[in-house]
Amino acid sequence: MQQKAIWAFIAILSAEIGLAQVPASKIEPIGFSSVTINDAFWKPKQELLANTTLKACIYQTETATPRLRNFQKVARKKGEKHEGIFYDDSDVFKALEAMAYSLKNHPDTTLEAKADEWIEMIAAAQQPDGYLNTFYTLNEPQNRYTDMSMHEDYNAGHMIEAAVAYFNATGKRKFLDVCIRWANHFDALFGPDKRHWVTGHQELELALVKLYKTTKDQKYLTLADWLLAERGHRYAKGYTWTDWKDTAYAQDLVPVKQQSEITGHAVRAMYLYTGAADVAAQTGDTGYLSAMLRVWQDVVHRNMYLTGGIGSSGSNEGFSIDYDLPNEQAYCETCASVGMVFWNQRMNSLTGDAKYMDVLERSLYNGALDGLSLTGDKFFYGNPLASNGKHARREWFGTACCPANIARLIASLGDYIYSKDNQGLYVNLYVGSETKMNLNGQEIAIKTTTDYPLNGSIRMDITANGQNNFFLRLRKPGWSDNTVVPGGLYQFALVNKTEPTITVNGKPFKAMLINGYYAIERKWKKGDVVVYQIPMPIQRIQAQEVLKQDQQRIALQRGPLVYCIEGADNDGKAWNIVFPNNASIVEKPMQVLTEKVIGLSASLPSLQINAAGDNVQTIYKEVIAIPYYTWCNRGSNQMQVWFPTTIKDVKLNY
Ligand SMILES: [Zn+2]
């Protein structure tokens, strides 16, 4: 379908579901390799990632666990057996992908040599027909592709993502060529008029779209589209999956284009919908787009935590029933929040609506960032919204999807800040950074300077030729527009009446708000300066009545950051406080380890129980709240995000 037809369809669909006006052209994110981050919030995190997190990933991958050794065993052909879990290859690839992004942010010849060394090992493990999987090649070569739940294609999808990232970061194509051989091998076996294949863990779909965009070879896009179309027809019967619960778990109950509800495993769902949105963006398939719009509403309106985390249930690492969002038992896998970032970016590019970036920002700064310690060497798998003090980050996991996933997200942050269409430039996230791009033949540059999220003061220096009009579009964050989340699952207790302000070259500018973006159109020229001030009041949040666990409770947010109270600032306790609706709260600049944060301070009633447990006193004391992503960095201790507003709702045990 032609692009015009796509947008005509989106316009009709948008009107039906109440979306604002859609843009006249397609939006293209500016890639990480064109963006230099240099702020005080993300830059140090990318440095920490390069100096500490990646070293931890490398140590775990090649020394502490057999993940990399399995590739060497394949190459040696000595009949050695596979060690570890059948999907461990994927962790090698994800670590490589994070290394690739990091090489752009933080050039490092030693790291690049390490990546090249790994790539040699991977290439040496590829079979003559293009197949590449250490588990089957070492243990069961006769059983290749006999069990769709065994992640052969999932592992390969991560290999493709890593190879594309490495090619974009370094220009080296050896790894990319390995992936092309693998994809051609897979394409020869599966597809229309060939064998059915319902992947047990979605990932290959989105990876194949990346391979298509890199190589321009149409067959990879066709294969991605076909993989999506395979779901929901019970083609998986006869293999491991015979139980309907398994098919719901992997979103295989209903064809993708007919899906309206989120089910099953959260990370599988995120990768599936990211892949579907990617295919829709390339082919204009409206069936995928309308399904995505329905499922997105189901996720955000009924099944998302305040932190942007999803997947409340630990038993299936995913979704249960609508509005079932317990706090202490929240699963909220780090990978699922990373997946929310991927999917929401695609939805933003498809629709031009800033609300997807609002959700992306919420998941990024809260649910995802919480997954990594401030020291860069420990990781959360689950990210609950309350803890009795037993939850702690760990150095690694048996199933180690989360560490490299948060690593690759932070390293690739440059992918999410800016985008463009043929009318101009979008600023989606406020990160001190610089980029250049070609806009309809005109070379333009933008430099953003800000301390966001510490405050909402943002300066943008524009360079352009001064001859052609184009739009600069600045996202007005939902939290600055009295919208906690699209759909209203959470609401601010008080209306914030302070509006953002914009000046262009020192003069106030009244910009139109279109699809959640302030749009400024002019003949931009070198030396133009835009100053955008977004007030960041302390905001109290209440949950809809249907969220039982959050009733008679409030949460706090300032800017994009959700806050929590943890024992480390409060005599070891976080569950004994009452937060009356009228308590006054003040900002308190402070540090959590070396992280500069704006803490929040209030004098609150606190329940004190004597050692015998037979006497309770209420005293007023100063209570400190800190940004949620910084909790549990000073030892394991109690924490909660939703605070009781009356004594009767204090639960000393959840
Ligand atoms: Zn994970």
Side-chain angles (χ1 to χ4, degrees):
M1 185 184 285
Q2 296 300 308
Q3 259 191 27
K4 259 189 182 168
I6 301 172
W7 290 117
F9 171 80
I10 294 174
I12 294 164
L13 199 66
S14 302
E16 276 180 5
I17 64 169
L19 280 178
Q21 184 194 347
V22 294
S25 61
K26 191 165 143 181
I27 297 164
E28 184 188 326
I30 306 300
F32 76 94
S33 57
S34 304
V35 179
T36 302
I37 292 171
N38 48 30
D39 69 348
F41 187 83
W42 288 105
K43 176 74 175 167
K45 289 176 177 56
Q46 292 191 329
E47 293 291 316
L48 184 70
L49 192 96
N51 294 322
T52 303
T53 313
L54 285 179
K55 287 194 171 72
C57 289
I58 291 168
Y59 170 74
Q60 292 291 345
T61 304
E62 67 177 13
T63 306
T65 74
R67 283 172 168 79
L68 199 63
R69 288 201 295 278
N70 286 324
F71 289 88
Q72 294 173 293
K73 288 181 184 178
V74 173
R76 282 199 291 264
K77 298 183 187 163
K78 288 188 173 169
E80 297 162 280
K81 289 296 173 195
H82 180 274
E83 294 173 84
I85 311 175
F86 59 87
Y87 44 71
D88 280 355
D89 289 1
S90 64
D91 298 328
V92 178
F93 302 137
K94 273 196 292 191
L96 256 177
E97 186 185 345
M99 288 153 78
Y101 300 128
S102 185
L103 285 172
K104 161 66 181 65
N105 309 323
H106 184 101
D108 178 339
T109 51
T110 309
L111 184 71
E112 189 166 340
K114 178 61 70 184
D116 287 334
E117 182 190 325
W118 285 19
I119 289 165
E120 289 296 329
M121 290 182 200
I122 293 163
Q126 186 163 38
Q127 301 303 292
D129 63 355
Y131 185 80
L132 216 169
N133 179 284
T134 67
F135 174 81
Y136 277 100
T137 308
L138 291 170
N139 287 15
E140 303 177 18
Q142 73 283 9
N143 288 334
R144 283 183 189 185
Y145 301 126
T146 55
D147 185 339
M148 296 178 187
S149 65
M150 285 294 282
H151 291 32
E152 285 159 289
D153 56 297
Y154 164 85
N155 288 344
H158 278 302
M159 177 170 74
I160 292 169
E161 282 204 273
V164 168
Y166 199 64
F167 176 70
N168 287 336
T170 65
K172 296 179 186 173
R173 63 170 298 140
K174 175 162 190 165
F175 196 14
L176 188 64
D177 288 333
V178 168
C179 292
I180 289 170
R181 281 195 291 278
W182 182 88
N184 293 346
H185 144 83
F186 191 85
D187 182 60
L189 295 173
F190 301 99
D193 305 323
K194 291 174 249 177
R195 287 173 61 185
H196 284 297
W197 189 260
V198 186
T199 177
H201 194 314
Q202 301 90 324
E203 155 68 19
L204 182 58
E205 303 90 337
L206 73 92
L208 283 169
V209 177
K210 287 190 176 182
L211 190 60
Y212 159 70
K213 286 159 100 172
T214 307
T215 62
K216 310 287 186 243
D217 188 334
Q218 182 74 29
K219 73 167 176 281
Y220 305 130
L221 178 61
T222 305
L223 189 58
D225 197 1
W226 175 82
L227 280 167
L228 290 170
E230 285 285 274
R231 307 196 86 71
H233 304 289
R234 308 301 171 91
Y235 295 145
K237 273 185 181 171
Y239 296 96
T240 305
W241 306 350
T242 50
D243 189 305
W244 72 268
K245 284 183 184 164
D246 288 340
T247 56
Y249 176 71
Q251 298 83 34
D252 188 33
L253 263 184
V254 178
V256 177
K257 289 180 190 176
Q258 294 170 26
Q259 293 187 14
S260 297
E261 293 182 352
I262 193 92
T263 66
H265 186 266
V267 181
R268 282 170 166 81
M270 290 302 101
Y271 289 4
L272 168 64
Y273 299 132
T274 301
D278 279 339
V279 169
Q282 298 302 321
T283 65
D285 193 323
T286 52
Y288 290 132
L289 180 59
S290 50
M292 292 307 92
L293 293 170
R294 292 192 302 268
V295 175
W296 186 87
Q297 284 199 351
D298 190 47
V299 174
V300 174
H301 293 194
R302 294 180 279 279
N303 291 289
M304 186 176 79
Y305 282 97
L306 183 62
T307 53
I310 55 165
S312 59
S313 164
S315 64
N316 64 346
E317 297 192 315
F319 296 92
S320 54
I321 55 171
D322 283 351
Y323 305 111
D324 176 31
L325 296 172
N327 289 311
E328 193 186 359
Q329 293 80 24
Y331 196 66
C332 282
E333 182 176 340
T334 301
C335 290
S337 288
V338 172
M340 282 288 275
V341 172
F342 295 161
W343 184 31
N344 278 286
Q345 183 195 37
R346 269 58 165 207
M347 295 303 288
N348 173 263
S349 293
L350 275 171
T351 63
D353 195 321
K355 71 180 180 181
Y356 299 104
M357 279 294 162
D358 289 341
V359 175
L360 183 157
E361 183 181 62
R362 180 168 295 278
S363 298
L364 172 67
Y365 280 89
N366 300 289
L369 196 50
D370 186 54
L372 181 64
S373 68
L374 295 174
T375 50
D377 57 353
K378 292 195 176 64
F379 309 91
F380 271 146
Y381 201 106
N383 297 273
L385 281 76
S387 169
N388 63 7
K390 297 198 177 82
H391 204 67
R393 291 185 186 83
R394 290 169 50 185
E395 289 177 2
W396 202 248
F397 306 93
T399 293
C401 48
C402 296
N405 231 348
I406 185 63
R408 69 178 177 143
L409 178 66
I410 291 172
S412 63
L413 186 77
D415 275 341
Y416 302 93
I417 301 170
Y418 305 99
S419 52
K420 68 172 186 175
D421 62 13
N422 62 15
Q423 295 182 327
L425 162 67
Y426 294 77
V427 186
N428 294 308
L429 295 180
Y430 298 105
V431 177
S433 58
E434 294 179 52
T435 191
K436 289 179 185 164
M437 69 194 75
N438 186 294
L439 190 71
N440 304 326
Q442 183 185 178
E443 292 299 325
I444 63 171
I446 179 167
K447 178 182 179 191
T448 302
T449 310
T450 182
D451 288 329
Y452 195 95
L454 284 185
N455 64 59
S457 181
I458 302 146
R459 173 188 165 120
M460 283 152 285
D461 289 77
I462 314 282
T463 302
N465 65 14
Q467 320 248 307
N468 309 104
N469 273 16
F470 66 88
F471 279 99
L472 175 67
R473 291 188 176 91
L474 309 175
R475 184 174 66 93
K476 182 182 187 187
W479 54 260
S480 74
D481 205 18
N482 292 305
T483 303
V484 183
V485 290
L489 191 57
Y490 309 101
Q491 288 162 347
F492 291 120
L494 296 171
V495 173
N496 167 28
K497 292 181 179 152
T498 52
E499 283 286 316
T501 58
I502 296 171
T503 62
V504 178
N505 297 331
K507 294 190 184 129
F509 187 92
K510 190 125 186 72
M512 270 209 313
L513 194 63
I514 303 172
N515 285 351
Y517 292 91
Y518 285 117
I520 311 172
E521 185 184 25
R522 60 189 268 127
K523 288 189 170 66
W524 296 97
K525 62 179 190 313
K526 188 172 169 54
D528 281 344
V529 177
V530 176
V531 174
Y532 182 30
Q533 299 276 1
I534 315 174
M536 272 193 189
I538 301 161
Q539 294 174 300
R540 296 163 204 250
I541 295 169
Q542 296 167 334
Q544 266 188 17
E545 264 180 42
V546 70
L547 294 180
K548 298 279 177 273
Q549 294 90 345
D550 305 334
Q551 291 313 298
Q552 311 304 322
R553 287 173 181 263
I554 61 159
L556 299 177
Q557 182 171 334
R558 182 181 172 279
L561 301 179
V562 173
Y563 278 70
C564 69
I565 290 174
E566 79 162 331
D569 301 300
N570 299 291
D571 303 329
K573 293 187 170 60
W575 288 12
N576 64 338
I577 57 104
V578 180
F579 213 120
N581 282 318
N582 60 357
S584 72
I585 313 165
V586 295
E587 294 180 3
K588 181 173 179 138
M590 56 185 279
Q591 287 193 191
V592 178
L593 302 184
T594 57
E595 184 84 354
K596 281 188 185 160
V597 301
I598 305 290
L600 305 179
S601 165
S603 179
L604 300 179
S606 154
L607 272 58
Q608 308 289 320
I609 305 172
N610 69 351
D614 57 6
N615 188 287
V616 180
Q617 270 190 313
T618 304
I619 61 161
Y620 271 78
K621 56 176 271 203
E622 185 193 19
V623 173
I624 308 286
I626 56 169
Y628 171 75
Y629 78 89
T630 63
W631 89 278
C632 206
N633 278 285
R634 295 163 294 179
S636 291
N637 56 162
Q638 290 187 356
M639 180 277 291
Q640 63 178 346
V641 168
W642 289 98
F643 319 124
T645 53
T646 63
I647 284 183
K648 73 178 171 48
D649 290 305
V650 172
K651 292 179 188 167
L652 293 174
N653 293 299
Y654 258 73

